[in-house]
Amino acid sequence: MGRRYIDCRAFPSENNCSVAISADSDTELLEAAVQHAVSVHKHTDSPELRAQLQTLFKDGTPSAERPPMATA
């Protein structure tokens, strides 16, 4: 498996978050993403949050440019 990432910039937030996180394993990426979601966005760590975050993982590394906002 290659590098994977999750990009918070693609989602609306009150603080206009500019964080993108990447890691070499899904386990490491998930832990970092959960810590970010809980500490910055005040989500509650739960199995549902973890499952949702995992669906947002992408292959590669995040772009230096802000991605387009995700649609619901």
Side-chain angles (χ1 to χ4, degrees), residues 1-56:
M1 176 190 307
R3 198 132 175 99
R4 307 256 290 163
Y5 72 96
I6 187 169
D7 198 333
C8 206
R9 300 173 297 174
F11 303 94
S13 67
E14 287 183 12
N15 62 350
N16 200 24
C17 189
S18 65
V19 170
I21 303 166
S22 62
D24 291 332
S25 76
D26 281 1
T27 302
E28 189 176 21
L29 181 56
L30 181 60
E31 290 308 314
V34 168
Q35 287 178 22
H36 174 74
V38 169
S39 67
V40 176
H41 299 290
K42 308 303 182 207
H43 291 287
T44 300
D45 186 354
S46 67
E48 293 81 12
L49 174 66
R50 289 172 176 267
Q52 181 181 25
L53 289 172
Q54 285 180 300
T55 67
L56 303 174

